[in-house]
Amino acid sequence: LVLLLVTIGAAPGPTAAPQYYYLDPSQIDLTMLLPPPPDAASAEERSDEEQVADAIAQRSSAQLAQAQQTTKRNVFFFTPSVGPGFTAGRLPVTARFFACIRSDVENLIDDAKTHWGRPRPEGSPKGRGSYPSGHAAFAASTAIVLARLVPSKRDAIFAQARIFAENRILLGRPFPSDVASGWT
């Protein structure tokens, strides 16, 4: 990882075709690795809908504010877990490294979202599909790599990653099964 941190070029930007930095998309097909989302008329789908509705109904204004503040996929979300010196200003190469990881994960998730096309929960802003959750996938992949780099902070990093992913449910954006599959 240290060698990768030194050799990374510019952070990813929007391109016509997805660019992968570390993953080979021909070797990872999430549509084969993940189960499909729940069928529209299934008990699991109704349970997902009820869980989202309950989360929204029971959230406090403080929980909502925190969830809204922490929606950006950025490794520096983990600063409270890693420590106050963990900032983009102090660690620009680390920022680029994790931006490339984020890009790879987003590309894989986008392919899966396109394949399944699961609609987002009722009342959620429409856009790309809901399954699997890109925010949960970002949280899990970032936590895995970051915990390897800072093993003494592993538990705090994973706890914070779980909160990041589950905050999306509080916002009513994905279903719990979307988060579970994104986490996977």
Side-chain angles (χ1 to χ4, degrees):
L1 288 176
V2 173
L3 179 60
L4 289 173
L5 289 173
V6 173
T7 60
I8 294 174
T15 61
Q19 178 178 359
Y20 286 86
Y21 296 88
Y22 307 121
L23 300 178
D24 179 350
S26 69
Q27 295 183 357
I28 303 172
D29 182 353
L30 296 182
T31 66
M32 300 299 292
L33 295 172
L34 296 174
D39 290 329
S42 69
E44 187 180 5
E45 176 74 12
R46 285 189 302 279
S47 175
D48 261 357
E49 291 168 352
E50 290 169 3
Q51 289 178 63
V52 170
D54 288 347
I56 290 170
Q58 295 175 17
R59 70 186 178 201
S60 69
S61 56
Q63 288 174 313
L64 177 59
Q66 181 203 17
Q68 289 171 330
Q69 289 176 345
T70 58
T71 62
K72 186 175 181 186
R73 291 179 241 188
N74 185 306
V75 69
F76 298 104
F77 165 81
F78 292 93
T79 297
S81 297
V82 176
F86 189 65
T87 65
R90 290 192 66 230
L91 303 166
V93 175
T94 299
R96 287 191 305 274
F97 172 63
F98 279 97
C100 292
I101 291 172
R102 183 192 71 233
S103 177
D104 280 4
V105 171
E106 286 175 358
N107 289 335
L108 286 176
I109 293 293
D110 284 350
D111 289 345
K113 285 178 181 282
T114 300
H115 174 79
W116 281 304
R118 184 182 195 192
R120 290 191 176 272
E122 188 68 32
S124 176
K126 302 305 175 210
R128 295 178 320 155
S130 187
Y131 183 90
S133 167
H135 281 75
F138 160 79
S141 61
T142 301
I144 289 166
V145 175
L146 191 56
R148 296 283 300 191
L149 294 171
V150 191
S152 65
K153 306 289 185 167
R154 182 187 189 285
D155 292 344
I157 289 166
F158 275 96
Q160 194 168 359
R162 188 56 88 175
I163 290 167
F164 182 84
E166 291 175 354
N167 275 348
R168 302 296 291 169
I169 297 169
L170 288 176
L171 294 172
R173 303 275 166 79
F175 293 105
S177 61
D178 303 337
V179 170
S181 288
W183 188 260
T184 299

